[in-house]
């Protein structure tokens, strides 16, 4: 046999670009029994037995003395045990080279001993590279090894990526004629697959003329280890055509590959092969089958396999539980968890992490933290995965104080250097707007990946600190990390969110200059930022520009555009985007469907929204909430309650938004008892703490139903400070029931909280007017004029008959008036077309009897406009900055069951639009442009 040199570079083979190998570390330990190796070239250690009176070694010197005594003894039946004891003694005292030398000379021919030896060697702190060093030293001393030792060394070279030594061992196998040995060939395939590439491993397999079963199994496994799932499955098919039987390890791995590529039919066929091979009782094979069926979303089959298992280990339980959690069946997963404990099977960290991950992905963030506490109470220490899931849940809940506590736990338990934990901590502080802490975490990180950089840059960008964001970007480039699309996308979103669209477009241009191609995420970030800012028309314009650049929208783009249409109440544009979603195959996306429901509900087509809702297969909580809110907006409280009951029957747990929608529905129908029922059940039955929105709904419900004293008492007992919505609800109720005393208290608070909201002043003016207190009306009007004078000029967008128009008016307190006048004129025009008479129920302002007679008998559009404008003002229906949309219904006397429903959306950031259940017809009275609208509204309709 030729001499194998020690580890150093040799002339490279024709193979190009070999991977970089890890250089073995030098070791100064002197091998004191080298003479024994020199005199025992072709035989193992001499026989020995233990001497009488022999004592346990207490130092490395005593171990060597014991070794010398053992070497002189004759072999007996306890030789292997004593040799193993000698190896362990060397490991205990840190002489790793001597331990490896003894093993090579004593047990090297035994395949089964190798794995346990390497494991024990590393557990004592030994470097596996030293085993290869010892092999080279012994070979230099001309110790002769057979094919089995060379095969084992080749496997070790593959695991440690020692490329050149592996090549030399291959050459030695060829020279010794061992290269066609089946075990050596398997080791060669494994070596080339790990160190050179799967194509060389497959070439080694093809070179064998007589391919045995062991080689076929190894060929499949090598491809699977290199994640060549399709190629491995093809090899498995060819293996069956060659009438070669697969072993249990190969079958388990092949079944996993079927799960990776979602090949359900092939997985079922392999399942049949497993049954025919009588391997259905193999635990590892069954575990793989459970995982394969769950990855293919066939939980029933996965559960059938699990239930059929006679023996289950911890991995079996973890497989089925993780299958249920991954697909969102958390109730079944919890039941399996209980069954697992009842079977005396202790859950491990993987079990708990599966539950935590499943609850997080279903949006049950509080439950994630509860599971963390339960896991600790069970005596398990959280892993990095547990902490990462908890930090992500804290980010979504904005529980900064709990996040700081978990940060302290991370520091105390040595997780600070974990890259994933560090990045999650950073992200948690960023999402809680604690950029100072985020920067401190970032500066303390030993290893920073691009995700950490991107998270901090995005945090600064989202908060409007663009100078800090650009500084971090420059620092990132100086650190040698090239910004990627995620980096720039975060900046684009930040700029557009703050209304700086020019800078956002400039950043997209910079991306192109730097060699990056803006993708659909980039444009969606821009569109989403515009929508967040309220620049809905810009969002729609950018969507057109995106498509002109050849970028097709994805489901997130469609959802964002639908949200913009909902805010504009632009039904026609929403229908166009609906068609786009159908053409691009996004109707299976539940988020798109939810956005469609919201758009139709806010654009005056509730029936279309309900039709979309009915077609959703897997309804999420958001889709249920959206539909319930739609019914509530349209005053269909009973339908909202019925849908809520259906949701509970479907096993969906409500959240705070659900109860906001329910209370809104109760408010519109005056269902006081139902309102109290749902309000009380929030905390008692669902552990949901009521927010200011829920208190506002209850005040509105009690007040509008005439329980003003109860509403006032409710406000006084609120655990949180009332806001403008609460006082506004009380003021609106006081207007309805003429309670001037409580109205003055509510108005006093509103004038402090919202000094520039004209609706508050108009409500009090109407109340004073109804009481004949015209002097107070003038005082409020003067106060309103002073407050409104500070607002200056602003612009509104009005969507008239599917066309956008811009209307600029001075803010004299009549801005909403101008917008609403146009809408109400169109409503009255529709009423006159149908020959219907709107209901007149209240006495408003100081109209004289002649005007009221005209209102009840004629269809004077200007008078009707004045009437409904005041009616809306009195009922606080005028949209404001904090109340961006209103929905109201006009009933008629002639046809009580018919109505025209309108929705108006206005905000102080420049957007106003409206929508109707019934489309408007073009006629000679139609207002054609903004100029004619101005002339019309200034001609006596104010």
């Amino acid at each position: 046999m030729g001499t194998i040199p020690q580890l150093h570079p040799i002339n490279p083979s024709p193979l190009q670009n070999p991977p970089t190998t890890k250089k073995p570390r030098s070791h100064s330990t002197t091998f004191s029994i080298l003479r024994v190796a020199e005199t025992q070239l072709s035989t193992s250690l001499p026989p020995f037995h233990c001497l009488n009176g022999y004592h346990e070694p207490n130092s490395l010197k005593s171990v060597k003395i014991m070794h010398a005594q053992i070497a002189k003894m004759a072999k007996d039946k306890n030789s292997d045990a004593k040799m193993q004891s000698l190896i362990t003694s060397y490991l205990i005292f840190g002489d790793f080279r001597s331990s490896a030398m003894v093993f090579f000379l004593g047990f090297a021919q035994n395949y089964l001993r190798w794995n346990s030896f390497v494991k024990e060697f590393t557990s004592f702190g030994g470097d596996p590279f030293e085993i290869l060093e010892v092999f080279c030293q012994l070979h230099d001393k001309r110790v002769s090894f057979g094919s089995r030792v060379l095969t084992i060394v080749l496997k070790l070279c593959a695991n440690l990526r020692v490329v050149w030594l592996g090549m030399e061992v291959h050459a030695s196998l060829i020279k010794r004629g061992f290269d066609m040995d089946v075990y050596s060939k398997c080791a060669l395939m494994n070596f080339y697959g790990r160190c050179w590439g799967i194509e060389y491993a497959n070439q080694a397999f093809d070179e064998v003329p007589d391919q045995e079963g062991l080689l076929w199994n190894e060929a499949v496994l090598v491809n699977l280890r290199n994640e060549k799932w399709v190629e491995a499955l093809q090899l498995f098919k060819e293996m069956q055509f060659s009438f070669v039987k697969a072993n249990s390890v190969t079958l388990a791995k092949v079944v996993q590959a079927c799960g990776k590529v979602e090949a359900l039919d092939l997985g079922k066929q392999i399942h049949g092969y497993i049954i025919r091979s009588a391997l259905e009782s193999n635990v590892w094979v069954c575990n793989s089958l459970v995982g394969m069926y769950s990855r293919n979303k066939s939980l029933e089959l996965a559960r059938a396999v699990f239930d059929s298992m006679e023996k289950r280990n911890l991995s079996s339980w973890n497989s089925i539980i993780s299958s249920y959690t991954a697909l969102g069946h958390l109730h079944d997963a919890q039941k399996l968890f209980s069954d697992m404990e009842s079977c005396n099977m202790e859950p491990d960290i993987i079990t708990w992490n599966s539950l935590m991950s499943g609850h997080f992905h279903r949006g049950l963030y509080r439950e994630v933290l509860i599971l963390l506490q339960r896991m600790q109470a069970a005596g398990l220490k959280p892993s990095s995965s547990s902490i990462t899931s908890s930090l992500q849940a804290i980010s979504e809940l904005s529980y900064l104080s709990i996040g700081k506590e978990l940060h302290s736990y991370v520091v105390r338990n040595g997780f600070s250097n974990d890259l994933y934990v560090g990045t999650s901590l950073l992200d948690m502080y960023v999402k809680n707007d604690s950029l100072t802490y985020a920067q401190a975490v970032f500066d303390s990180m030993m290893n920073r990946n691009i995700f950490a950089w991107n998270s901090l840059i995005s945090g600064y960008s989202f908060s409007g600190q663009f100078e800090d964001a650009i500084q971090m970007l420059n620092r990132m480039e100086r650190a040698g990390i090239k910004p990627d699309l995620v980096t720039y996308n975060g900046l684009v979103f930040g700029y557009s969110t703050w209304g700086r669209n020019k800078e956002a477009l400039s950043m997209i241009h910079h991306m192109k200059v730097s060699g990056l191609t803006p993708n659909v995420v980039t444009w969606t970030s821009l569109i989403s930022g515009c929508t967040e800012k309220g620049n809905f028309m810009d969002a729609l314009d950018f969507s057109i520009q995106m498509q002109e650049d050849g970028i097709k929208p994805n489901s997130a783009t469609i959802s964002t555009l639908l949200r913009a249409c909902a805010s504009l109440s632009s039904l026609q544009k929403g229908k166009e985007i609906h068609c786009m979603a159908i053409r691009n195959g996004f109707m299976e996306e539940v988020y798109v469907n939810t956005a469609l429901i919201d758009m139709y509900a806010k654009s005056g087509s509730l029936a279309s929204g309900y039709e979309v809702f009915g077609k959703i297969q897997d309804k999420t909580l958001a889709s249920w909430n959206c539909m319930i809110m739609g019914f509530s907006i349209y005053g269909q409280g009973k339908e909202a309650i019925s849908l809520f009951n259906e949701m509970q029957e479907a096993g969906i747990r409500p959240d705070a938004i659900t109860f906001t929608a329910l209370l809104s529905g109760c408010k519109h129908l005056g269902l006081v008892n139902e309102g109290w029922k749902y309000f009380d059940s929030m905390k008692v039955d669902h552990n949901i703490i009521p927010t200011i929105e829920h208190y506002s709904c209850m005040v509105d419900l009690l007040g509008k139903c005439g329980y003003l004293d109860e509403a006032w008492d409710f406000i006084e007992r609120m655990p949180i400070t009332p806001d403008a919505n609460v006082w506004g609800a009380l003021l609106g109720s006081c207007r309805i029931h003429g309670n001037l005393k409580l109205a003055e208290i509510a108005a006093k608070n509103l004038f402090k909280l919202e000094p520039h909201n004209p609706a508050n002043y108009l409500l009090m003016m109407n109340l004073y007017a109804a009481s004949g207190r015209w002097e107070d009306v003038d005082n409020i009007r003067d106060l309103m004029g002073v407050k409104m004078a500070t607002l200056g000029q602003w612009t509104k967008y009005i969507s008239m008959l599917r066309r956008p128009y811009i209307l600029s008016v001075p803010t004299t307190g009549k801005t909403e008036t101008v917008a609403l006048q146009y809408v109400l004129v169109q409503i009255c025009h529709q009423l006159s077309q149908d020959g219907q008479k709107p209901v007149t129920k209240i006495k408003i302002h100081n109209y004289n009897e002649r005007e009221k007679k005209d209102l009840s008998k004629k269809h004077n559009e200007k008078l009707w406009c004045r009437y409904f404008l005041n009616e809306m003002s009195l009922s606080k229906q005028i949209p404001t900055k904090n109340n961006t949309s209103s929905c109201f219904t006009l009933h008629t006397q002639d046809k009580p069951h018919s109505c025209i429903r309108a929705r108006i959306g206005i905000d102080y950031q420049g957007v106003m639009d409206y929508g109707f259940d019934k489309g408007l017809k073009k006629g000679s009275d139609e207002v054609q442009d903004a100029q004619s609208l101005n002339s019309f509204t200034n001609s006596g309709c104010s």
Side-chain angles (χ1 to χ4, degrees), residues 663 675-676 679 693-703 714:
L663 293 175
W676 275 119
F679 183 82
E693 287 80 10
H694 303 111
Y695 287 106
S696 176
C697 286
M698 286 302 299
V699 171
D700 208 5
L701 172 60
L702 293 171
F714 184 81

Side-chain angles (χ1 to χ4, degrees), residues 326-534:
L327 295 176
H329 297 266
L330 302 180
H331 179 74
D332 295 318
Q334 290 282 7
K335 188 177 184 304
L336 279 167
F337 184 82
S338 301
D339 294 341
M340 177 182 182
E341 292 180 316
S342 64
C343 292
N344 297 322
M345 185 69 68
E346 287 292 331
D348 65 352
I349 192 68
I350 297 175
T351 320
W352 288 100
N353 286 346
S354 298
L355 288 173
M356 293 175 67
S357 177
H359 282 78
F360 173 79
H361 289 297
R362 297 296 291 183
L364 302 173
Y365 306 122
R366 290 186 179 87
E367 283 75 3
V368 174
L369 302 181
I370 293 172
L371 286 169
L372 178 66
Q373 292 178 334
R374 289 178 56 192
M375 180 177 68
Q376 289 180 292
L380 290 174
K381 182 179 179 181
S383 65
S384 62
S385 178
S386 315
I387 296 173
T388 300
S389 296
S390 302
L391 287 170
Q392 290 172 345
I394 291 169
S395 299
E396 299 296 333
L397 293 169
S398 298
Y399 287 172
L400 182 58
S401 58
I402 298 179
K404 290 180 178 179
E405 293 178 11
L406 193 55
H407 188 179
S408 300
Y409 180 87
V410 167
V411 174
R412 290 195 307 269
N413 290 272
F415 289 106
S416 300
N417 294 329
D418 188 284
L419 184 59
Y420 298 104
V421 173
T423 305
S424 298
L425 266 176
L426 176 62
D427 188 62
M428 184 271 294
Y429 281 121
V430 166
K431 289 183 177 178
N432 281 278
D433 296 325
S434 299
L435 294 178
T436 303
Y437 287 105
Q439 184 69 60
V441 171
F442 179 84
D443 293 337
S444 65
M445 293 176 67
M446 300 296 293
N447 299 312
R448 301 173 188 144
N449 57 10
I450 194 169
F451 302 106
W453 288 95
N454 288 344
S455 180
L456 190 56
I457 291 172
S458 298
Y460 281 124
S461 177
F462 296 168
S463 64
Q465 302 180 38
F466 297 107
E467 292 184 2
D468 295 323
I470 297 301
Q471 287 179 3
M472 288 300 299
L473 180 64
N474 296 333
R475 182 179 166 188
M476 175 183 180
E477 291 175 333
R478 289 194 300 269
I481 300 178
K482 186 178 180 181
D484 61 0
L485 282 172
V486 178
T487 315
Y488 289 111
N489 290 346
L491 289 167
V492 168
F493 180 77
Y495 278 123
S496 58
T497 302
W498 286 84
R500 299 169 64 170
N501 293 343
K502 290 184 178 179
E503 288 91 334
L505 291 172
S506 176
M507 191 58 61
I508 292 177
H509 176 71
H510 183 71
M511 294 170 64
K512 297 178 180 178
V513 172
S514 62
L516 296 172
T517 303
N519 58 6
V520 64
V521 179
T522 309
W523 286 99
T524 303
S525 299
L526 178 60
I527 294 169
S528 179
C530 291
T531 304
E532 291 288 336
K533 179 63 176 175

Side-chain angles (χ1 to χ4, degrees), residues 590-607:
V590 67
Y591 298 105
V592 173
N593 285 311
T594 303
L596 274 170
I597 296 169
D598 184 58
M599 184 275 296
Y600 279 122
K602 291 180 178 178
S603 300
S605 184
L606 184 63

